[in-house]
Amino acid sequence: MHIPFDSPHEIPVSIHPSLLAILPRLQLVHDCWDLLNNQKQYYLPRGEREPDSAYKRRIDAALPSGFFRDALRTFAGMLASSHWHQLPASLQSVIT
């Protein structure tokens, strides 16, 4: 799991267990919305025998555009909205 914070100073000192439980989904939503910016290596691992130069070219070419860009953003929205129905009652009461 990776955290989308730019520096360790941005990471909260204490994370509520409810938030910690959904952190992987939040990370995925963030990465989709950000169009995998700075996370391409996480989602596109290097092949077992892939040369460094070929891997770098493949990572550099992995820029979602058009239909795929829109699909990633839509997927991020679906993940974000679908999860609200599964929140603990204590958090649901705060939202409503």
Side-chain angles (χ1 to χ4, degrees):
M1 171 180 15
H2 57 286
I3 308 278
F5 300 106
D6 293 331
S7 73
H9 302 292
E10 295 181 47
I11 298 175
V13 174
S14 174
I15 299 177
H16 191 276
S18 297
L19 180 58
L20 195 56
I22 63 170
L23 191 58
R25 284 185 75 136
L26 293 175
Q27 181 66 58
L28 181 59
V29 168
H30 174 270
D31 292 343
C32 288
W33 188 257
D34 201 29
L35 301 176
L36 307 182
N37 197 16
N38 299 321
Q39 295 302 330
K40 294 176 190 173
Q41 291 84 352
Y42 180 79
Y43 293 102
L44 301 171
R46 184 173 170 213
E48 187 175 314
R49 296 182 182 183
E50 186 175 19
D52 286 336
S53 58
Y55 180 59
K56 183 175 179 355
R57 281 193 307 272
R58 185 164 60 94
I59 291 293
D60 291 342
L63 298 172
S65 61
F67 171 80
F68 295 105
R69 178 191 61 236
D70 296 343
L72 277 172
R73 291 255 166 98
T74 299
F75 184 58
M78 287 172 36
L79 284 175
S81 66
S82 69
H83 191 74
W84 292 112
H85 303 291
Q86 301 168 17
L87 288 175
S90 59
L91 290 178
Q92 189 68 38
S93 66
V94 171
I95 291 172
T96 56

